[in-house]
Amino acid sequence: MPHAPSRKQLHTLVSGVLNKTPLVDLHTHLYDPALGPVLLWGIDELVTYHYLVAEFFRARPDFGYDAFWALSKTDQADLIWRELFVLRSPLSEACRGVLTVLHRLGLDTKTKDLKQARRYFQKRKARDYVDQVLKEANIKRLYMTNDPMDPLEAPGWEKGFDRDPRFLGVLRLDSAIMNWPDGASRLRAMGYAVDDGLTGNTLSQIRRYLNTWCDRFDARYMAISLPPTFRYPDIHSPLTTLITKTVIPVAAERDIPVAMMIGVKKLVNPALRLAGDSVGKSDIDTVEALARDFGNIRFLLTMLARENMHELCIAARKFKNITPFGCWWFLNNPSLINEITRMRLETLGLSFVPQHSDARVLDQLIYKWAHSRTIIGEALTDKYADLCATGWLPTKSEIERDVKQLFDIAL
Ligand code: FIX
Ligand code: ZN
């Protein structure tokens, strides 16, 4: 009877498999390098990430919002670096992330300015750097967030380009259907004959929009972020009507999933711009009702409130068409990734997607995945150790199989 491995031996095995398994990143704000400068990378983008902007104002509440936004990106980065990394220890997850990237790139992290880092990035070419970062983070494919109504992204699609197969398309729905009829004028400007009242051909025109852009993007799923107040059923809500009468029928026709990211309160502090969004507790009854009424739809689901995470695990146990994914945004911190991952392993086994990066800056892939692989590795090690205590000893190939199921996502 082979003897059970020690926890240390198990941890070495599990973390080795995790680190060498190329993964698929289910949700990012990154772009095919052919789309040009809309793909953000480099030290100034890293340090002015909206998470760090919010933390800067915690350190400097005396600093005016307008004064900050009036600065150049370089000056913003220098200011944030000084306040959060020099005058204070960079203990937050977002600060630590920047240091992990610099450290993995062989750069000095305890430096009083960004001169060395800027010299490093000035020598990089975007396409080579994409290869370097994907290799360092061991990512084989990632899903973008593509919005036909984004003025920064749209020109690249109009021009057309040879796709990088590592960057998969996703049709993002917010700008078209959130806060209806805000999107109606944008749709009309694109040639879709919609009216504010969702009457006549409006719904079929919106389905045409969805199909046209799913084709253009070769979209592997459609995605939308939703407020904590989102409800289904809700006969008075244009949003609910649009989701059930346009998004869901098109997803069914195309047999692609619908990703719902529920719980964001947009711009509670508009002065913070992208950093101004907050979190609210969402309604799990709505999630269960959607999964029940649309059993033919695969729902990729993540929620922003910690309190919703356990409810989502249980909803997924009740509905096989729910796949919980990621530790989203304010949950993407070691203490919560740890809690959520263990909760999911205990309630769902391997039938969930443990993490996505949500990276907005290419280099973030390095830290978001290094940090998550470590935490998820600890949780998996403990779960395998629990199995060993029953005499069920995992083999290396079984651990490789399990890790592939968790991270090598094929939609
Ligand atoms: O809606 C989303 O895709 C969110 O992830 C973003 O809006 C958010 O700003 C973010 O990047 C969080 O990590
Ligand atoms: Zn996102």
Side-chain angles (χ1 to χ4, degrees), residues 7-19 337-338 341-342 345 354-355 369-385 399 403 406-407:
R7 190 197 182 277
K8 188 172 182 327
Q9 287 168 323
L10 258 182
H11 182 258
T12 304
L13 178 56
V14 170
S15 47
V17 169
L18 260 176
N19 290 331
I337 298 168
N338 178 54
T341 302
R342 290 171 189 268
L345 288 169
Q355 186 59 295
W369 283 110
H371 296 180
S372 286
R373 276 189 166 107
T374 300
I375 302 155
I376 294 166
E378 290 291 344
L380 275 172
T381 299
D382 285 344
K383 293 305 163 192
Y384 285 120
I399 294 173
V403 167
L406 286 169
F407 290 100

Side-chain angles (χ1 to χ4, degrees), residues 27-29 51 145 172 225 261 328-329 356-360:
H27 170 59
T28 76
H29 298 269
Y51 291 30
T145 296
R172 186 62 180 255
S225 72
M261 307 162 70
W328 182 28
W329 203 339
H356 68 276
S357 70
D358 230 316
R360 282 183 173 276

Side-chain angles (χ1 to χ4, degrees), residues 341-359:
T341 302
R342 290 171 189 268
M343 185 192 296
R344 286 170 169 171
L345 288 169
E346 290 156 4
T347 53
L348 301 170
L350 296 162
S351 62
F352 65 96
V353 177
Q355 186 59 295
H356 68 276
S357 70
D358 230 316

Side-chain angles (χ1 to χ4, degrees), residues 26 32 35 141-148 153 157 160-172 209-223 250 254-257 298 411:
L26 186 59
D32 188 312
L35 282 167
R141 282 190 305 280
L142 61 85
Y143 290 83
M144 301 185 277
T145 296
N146 302 115
D147 179 358
E153 180 187 1
W157 291 102
F161 57 95
D162 293 333
R163 298 285 297 268
D164 180 329
R166 298 170 296 180
F167 290 74
L168 300 175
V170 171
L171 175 57
R172 186 62 180 255
Y209 167 82
L210 299 178
N211 273 305
T212 299
W213 287 96
C214 278
D215 288 341
R216 291 285 289 274
F217 293 157
D218 184 21
R220 306 303 173 90
Y221 65 86
M222 290 185 277
V250 169
R254 306 180 72 92
D255 189 22
I256 59 174
R298 287 174 288 156
L411 290 181

Side-chain angles (χ1 to χ4, degrees), residues 106-123:
L107 296 170
D108 181 10
T109 52
K110 201 153 167 76
T111 167
K112 67 177 181 352
D113 61 40
L114 296 173
K115 288 197 183 84
Q116 180 206 33
R118 286 197 179 109
R119 279 196 301 275
Y120 176 88
F121 285 101
Q122 273 153 14
K123 296 185 191 120

